[in-house]
Amino acid sequence: MKYFVPEIVVPQNGPIAQPARERLGGLPFGLPAEEWPICTDCGRSQSLLAQFNHHRTRLDLGREGRVLFVFQCAHDPGLCSTWEAFSGANACFVIDPEALGSQTTERPKDRPPTDHAVSIVGWVEREDGLDDETVAAFQSDDAFCALPDDVRRRLTWSTRLGGRPRWLQRADEAPRDGWSFVAQLDGTYSFLTPPLHPPEWVKPDPEKGEGRTHWADGPNFGGGLAYLFLKAGPTRPQGCMLSQR
């Protein structure tokens, strides 16, 4: 099955231009200020994890120009239930192109923490060798645990669109009733090519894990992974996120 790995770069000269709208960390681009999500646990503004554009193959949001935004609360890590789907301490939602702005959204007054900002300038298509017959195995914990070791080793740990989730805990935690897995987020940023002028927070990876040349700390998932899901909605897709560690 195909999956897609982001080619990321460190922004060098101010806000990321619109052609590089897709990003990890930092501040959102084009998000209407009134759509910035609030944590229902603590009442403060959440922090951007990622934003991805609609693409018919990589991430089908049902319409050209739509953008998927992903946030979680980062004010007091571990206190708000960011790991739970539908908890209100994280957010995953789609915005239509007519509602999007043309610049970086101003940070809210309560100053939510921001992860290091990287922009996505391309996608690398890869193949995990898994066919559609394996879908059910990733929706049941017993079936997932029964998969041969060589099959599970094909699942990557890094951030990607598509493929199958690399579960760290129970597969049964995935939402049901029409929800489909669409992406996985890692707490580490993986650079597939060496940054031209790497800041101090970007480090070389001598092990070349999953093909990367450098790495950096990304969002706080407690050392784990986050999983994104979409479901058809009345006007546009609905989204949700959960994380495991």
Side-chain angles (χ1 to χ4, degrees), residues 47-61:
S47 301
L48 179 73
L49 300 178
Q51 66 178 83
F52 302 123
N53 293 341
H54 161 82
H55 187 276
R56 187 172 58 182
T57 304
R58 291 192 301 269
L59 181 65
D60 189 355
L61 301 178

Side-chain angles (χ1 to χ4, degrees), residues 167-211:
W167 295 117
L168 296 178
Q169 297 182 25
R170 295 184 59 84
D172 295 332
E173 292 183 3
R176 309 297 179 182
D177 302 323
W179 291 96
S180 298
F181 170 79
V182 295
Q184 176 176 289
L185 300 179
D186 185 14
T188 298
Y189 292 156
S190 293
F191 293 81
L192 302 183
T193 56
L196 293 177
H197 305 288
E200 61 179 12
W201 49 270
V202 175
K203 309 295 183 183
D205 182 4
E207 302 297 324
K208 309 294 184 185
E210 296 189 3

Side-chain angles (χ1 to χ4, degrees), residues 6 20 74 77 108 134 166 170 174 216 226:
T134 65
R166 177 81 190 219
R170 295 184 59 84

Side-chain angles (χ1 to χ4, degrees), residues 36-54:
W36 196 298
I38 302 298
C39 175
T40 58
D41 281 357
C42 70
R44 291 180 284 183
S45 301
Q46 298 183 30
S47 301
L48 179 73
L49 300 178
Q51 66 178 83
F52 302 123
N53 293 341
H54 161 82

